[in-house]
Amino acid sequence: MSDGEKNAEFAARLKSVRRKLIYTVSAGLIFASSFVAMISAHDWQSASLHFTSLQLFVSLLLTIAAATCLRIFWKTLSTELVAPPIALTIAPASGARGRDQKNTDSPLPSSAAAVHDTQEQKRYQEENRKLALAANLTSNLVMITNADGDMEWVNPAFISTTKYTLDEVLGRKPSELLLGPDSNPDTVKFMLEKVAQGQGFHEVELLNYTKEKVPFWLLMEMQPVRDHHERIIHFIAVGNDISKHKQLEQALRISESKFYSAFRCIPDAISITRVSDSRIMDINDRFEEVIGYSREETIGKTSLDLKFWVDRSERDRLGKQVLEQRTVTDFPTRFRMKSGDIRDFLFSCSLFIVDGEEYFLSSVRDVTLQKKIERQNEELDRALLKLAQGTAYAKDRDNYFETLVTDLASALGVDRAFMGLRIPHTPNKLRSIANYLQGKLSENHEYSYLDTPCESIMAGKISIFAKSVGDLFPSDSTLQEQGWEAYAGAPIHDSAGHIIGVLNVMHKQPLENPELVKSLLEVFSERASAELERKRTEEALKASEQRFSNIFSNSPTAMSVSYLKDYRIVDVNKAFETLFLRSRASALSKTALDLNMYCDIDDRTAMLKILNASNMLSNFEAWMCRADGSQLLMQLYGNVFSDPAGEKFMIVAFKDVTEQRAIEAEIKALNINLEDRVNERTNSLQQANQALATTLTTLNMAKDELVRSDKLAALGALVAGIAHELNTPIGNSLMIASTSLDHTKQLSKDFTSGLTRSGLASYIESTRDANDILVRNLQKAAGLIASFKQVAVDQTSSQRRKFGVAELVAEIVLTLSPTIKKTSYTIYTSIPEEITLDSYPGPLGQVLTNLINNALIHAFDNRPTGQISITAKIISDKSVMLTVQDNGVGIPPENINRIFDPFFTTKLGAGGSGLGLNITHNIVTGLLGGRVQVESTLGTGTTFALMLPRKAPLTAEAKNQA
């Protein structure tokens, strides 16, 4: 190879080294800027990785710089000293010298023996002298051997390099002195073969060793020297020491290896693109992994050919920016992969120039997962913040659980989240109450949780199946059909710790962070449990408030609720409106002072003082004014309570005791003037008894007259009944009056002869009892005369005992048989003998009598026939149902809700007083402790159902006695 060719080869290698050096420096700048950005963003893990890459780049840069300097030095050295091997044409010598012969003029042996011409000999000697001079001055190693290969002469450069002396060299073969363990045997064999064949060789590289076994490289060339008979008489070998060149090549190979190792091992995807045609010149292995295109598919193509850019305008804008600023760092963008997926990247690019050609060194870092994690962290923070705020974060409190599952799915990045509750009285089944599926809420559904992942959750465990959940539950059709890969869930508890439902998430990819999923499920399930309990408590509170409202509104006692801070009225009930003659609207937001309710303002002040001091008020009496100006003596009861918000209220109940106090005053006055009042009362009673007796006589006479008259037969029956009813109270009244008269006469006698204290006390006690009996009998008689029918039942006189219902009904029917026989209607009874009651047979008999009479008067409407059925059956161990049913005309719907009202009748003046059903209702619901139900259909008939306890409740008197 000529010097020109060697220099061209060297220049090409140097150019390659320079280009790679620029690549490396540019990549180092990009990674340095990325490293700074990561430090600023506190991304310590990525920063650590990039710092390692920066260290590798710095080392590589220093190595390449050193190699470049050595290259330049070698080029200079080669240009000055390296020359093609010397081509010797030495004439044969006339004789040979021994090894110990000294030849200071010419170290070369003579080769001119065959030359007979003296002038020619001188010419050869001059050439040999010049050749020897050149051999002594060159830095190349020169060796001359005989035809057998034994060394005859070496130049000073040989001695200087190998450290051998001339005496140690002469007569020895080069292979004996210079070869070592790492000398290439194939090269040695090649050289020996050439020598044996009498041929030369060119540019053979061989590793040699000095006397001290220090290796060095020689670029060898050897040529034979022939005489005029073409016989080989010498071999001349020239060796160029290329050790430094070899070291430089090795350093260059190492630097190239480091560059490509760094280029391929950098964690970011790197590409080198030629600016002039936008073609990709090289990519690293990470580029193939991230983008998906192989090296063969990428090299020589443009990014547009690969449809790499999602937004082409970004490519043009970034290219222009790099050309202007020469670098772009961490530009967020999106690239399309070979698979078609679009992912997020940080794009960095630097411009560099090699031999006048511009190139882009681009680095892209896939941050899709990082952004996904950031989004998940944002969703997680948002969800946890909203979760901590409770129901306040939901616009609609009713949609709380829908928002809960939506936030849970968003925070975990899963495809589905739902919440289900156990269906009451249905084993092994759940009903979802909130269902989030792939970005939207979906329909709720019911399902059995047996042989599903929910089964372990309903057993009380948080379950995480991070992958292959379908393989674990092959019989779960939902998992198989919809292709769910992962499942996780947590139980939901009530306040007692019982499991009432599940909170689940499902995903079509494996769960990346099961521990995070478990932690979030624990938090969200606890919040869901708390919210369910809150809702149940709220519903119970609403029900309680509704019950209180009903009791408050319908209570027969007048009540008001007011703010404690300013005493403004918040609410009043119907009884308040009735008692004070004020509408609810007129009282709201007013105070009792505004309404002038207290006759004496000091009473109000004293009442409020007591209520504020003790939070209670009892038996406080005050005169109060009604809306019409009338005054009533009220007994007040009060209490203070607070609502959930801490606002204090007072509730006050008002009891009208005006009449009660008037009666008490009357009794007090009666006790003061007892004798006068007794005489006055006795005279009044005698007059009343006389009036009653006269009335009874008149009625009896009327009765006799009506009996004799067919047209007044019905009236005669009525009078007979009234006479019978009046006989007892009037007889009792006469007897008491006469007895009191006797006692009064006796008292007068005693007063004249000497009245004792015990006698007076006995007279007062007997007179009080007599007056009480007399008043009751006269009131009863007066009521019968005024209304022709009993209006109320004296419960205190009712006798309680055990009796058979069938026996009682038979007695009632027998009693009414005279009346029934006068009609064309029949009574049918069907009552089992074993039905017994511990109750009040008298009041119950009156109820049955009223219901039968009501049917006879109203049910059949002059129909020729009709039937009344009385039946009974046992409902439970504690109750029976007694039914009175007729097949009459029925009750119109508009009257059905009024039939128990007092004085409501459709037969006024035709046998109806309007009190029968009212008395019936009061007896059944009061004394007997039951309830009455009525069903009626026009044209079909009416049914009265009495639901009676088998053991009637105790009356107030019985309770006091107990």
Side-chain angles (χ1 to χ4, degrees), residues 608-904:
L608 293 176
K609 183 177 181 181
I610 296 172
L611 199 59
N612 280 290
S614 61
N615 291 332
M616 291 185 64
L617 182 70
S618 180
N619 296 320
F620 183 89
E621 293 187 2
W623 282 95
M624 305 190 72
C625 300
R626 301 203 294 176
D628 63 353
S630 59
Q631 298 181 359
L632 296 176
L633 182 61
M634 297 289 183
Q635 195 172 63
L636 279 63
Y637 300 84
N639 208 335
V640 176
F641 67 93
S642 301
D643 66 1
E647 183 72 42
K648 288 189 175 183
F649 298 85
M650 64 177 184
I651 182 170
V652 180
F654 304 89
K655 180 181 178 182
D656 181 7
V657 295
T658 307
E659 185 177 353
Q660 178 182 345
R661 293 296 180 262
I663 293 174
E664 290 175 354
E666 265 185 51
I667 295 174
K668 186 176 181 181
L670 178 64
N671 291 333
I672 294 174
N673 304 302
L674 179 61
E675 183 178 353
D676 294 339
R677 288 187 173 274
V678 167
N679 292 330
E680 182 181 350
R681 179 66 67 181
T682 301
N683 294 330
S684 298
L685 289 175
Q686 289 177 346
Q687 292 174 5
N689 287 336
Q690 185 63 39
L692 288 174
T694 303
T695 302
L696 179 59
T697 302
T698 302
L699 289 176
N700 285 329
M701 293 174 62
K703 172 187 173 185
D704 295 337
E705 185 65 26
L706 289 173
V707 169
R708 288 191 293 268
S709 175
D710 291 337
K711 293 181 181 181
L712 299 177
L715 181 60
L718 178 61
V719 172
I722 294 173
H724 175 74
E725 292 294 331
L726 289 175
N727 186 49
T728 299
I730 291 175
N732 290 339
S733 297
L734 289 173
M735 180 181 66
I736 293 300
S738 60
T739 302
S740 295
L741 182 60
D742 293 339
H743 287 174
T744 301
K745 290 179 179 180
Q746 182 63 41
L747 179 65
S748 298
K749 292 179 180 180
D750 293 341
F751 181 76
T752 303
S753 60
L755 179 63
T756 66
R757 184 180 183 87
S758 60
L760 179 59
S762 175
Y763 172 80
I764 292 173
E765 182 178 359
S766 62
T767 301
R768 184 187 297 117
D769 293 340
N771 287 339
D772 183 54
I773 296 171
L774 185 62
V775 168
R776 286 203 305 271
N777 280 276
L778 290 176
Q779 286 177 342
K780 183 175 180 181
L784 288 171
I785 295 172
S787 64
F788 297 97
K789 195 172 181 76
Q790 180 179 350
V791 177
V793 177
D794 185 3
Q795 294 184 5
T796 59
S797 66
S798 300
Q799 296 298 318
R800 179 186 181 129
R801 63 182 176 86
K802 292 184 179 180
F803 59 91
V805 176
E807 180 182 358
L808 176 64
V809 172
E811 291 176 355
I812 298 301
V813 172
L814 181 61
T815 302
L816 295 175
S817 59
T819 303
I820 297 171
K821 289 179 180 179
K822 297 178 182 180
T823 67
S824 58
Y825 314 129
T826 59
I827 293 183
Y828 167 78
T829 62
S830 176
I831 301 174
E833 294 292 336
E834 64 271 14
I835 298 179
T836 60
L837 297 178
D838 182 2
S839 187
Y840 302 93
L844 181 56
Q846 185 176 357
V847 167
L848 291 172
T849 300
N850 290 349
L851 291 176
I852 294 171
N853 285 330
N854 183 73
L856 293 174
I857 296 172
H858 299 281
F860 303 111
D861 196 18
N862 298 322
R863 286 187 178 184
T865 60
Q867 179 177 290
I868 301 172
S869 298
I870 304 176
T871 59
K873 64 179 179 179
I874 297 175
I875 302 301
S876 66
D877 293 340
K878 296 183 180 181
S879 63
V880 299
M881 182 171 70
L882 185 60
T883 304
V884 179
Q885 181 180 12
D886 64 69
N887 59 353
V889 296
I891 302 173
E894 63 270 18
N895 295 335
I896 196 72
N897 293 325
R898 302 177 59 194
I899 60 175
F900 294 117
D901 293 346
F903 304 111
F904 175 77

Side-chain angles (χ1 to χ4, degrees), residues 481-497:
E481 294 171 2
Q482 299 181 10
W484 296 108
E485 175 69 15
Y487 175 98
I492 297 174
H493 303 83
D494 61 12
S495 59

Side-chain angles (χ1 to χ4, degrees), residues 126-250:
E126 181 64 21
E127 290 179 355
N128 285 338
R129 188 184 66 79
K130 293 178 179 180
L131 179 61
L133 179 61
N136 285 326
L137 293 177
T138 184
S139 61
N140 293 335
L141 280 68
V142 180
M143 298 173 289
I144 299 177
T145 68
N146 58 21
D148 296 329
D150 298 328
M151 287 190 290
E152 295 182 343
W153 182 84
V154 295
N155 70 342
F158 181 95
I159 294 173
S160 174
T161 300
T162 63
K163 308 303 181 184
Y164 286 106
T165 64
L166 184 62
D167 291 336
E168 291 173 332
V169 169
L170 295 180
R172 304 283 295 276
K173 295 185 182 297
S175 58
E176 297 176 0
L177 299 176
L178 301 179
L179 298 184
D182 294 330
S183 300
N184 192 333
D186 294 333
T187 303
V188 174
K189 181 180 178 182
F190 168 77
M191 295 171 63
L192 293 177
E193 288 178 350
K194 291 295 184 179
V195 170
Q197 295 171 2
Q199 299 177 2
F201 51 82
H202 298 279
E203 295 185 353
V204 175
E205 294 181 357
L206 181 65
L207 179 64
N208 298 278
Y209 289 85
T210 67
K211 180 180 179 181
E212 297 171 352
K213 302 304 178 183
V214 177
F216 66 96
W217 281 89
L218 290 178
L219 180 65
M220 301 290 296
E221 182 170 349
M222 188 182 70
Q223 295 293 335
V225 179
R226 300 177 185 275
D227 61 11
H228 62 285
H229 297 293
E230 294 297 324
R231 292 178 300 184
I232 298 174
I233 57 175
H234 296 289
F235 286 98
I236 297 179
V238 179
N240 181 12
D241 189 351
I242 59 173
S243 298
K244 293 182 180 179
H245 177 70
K246 282 291 186 181
Q247 292 174 357
L248 184 60
E249 284 186 343
Q250 184 177 7

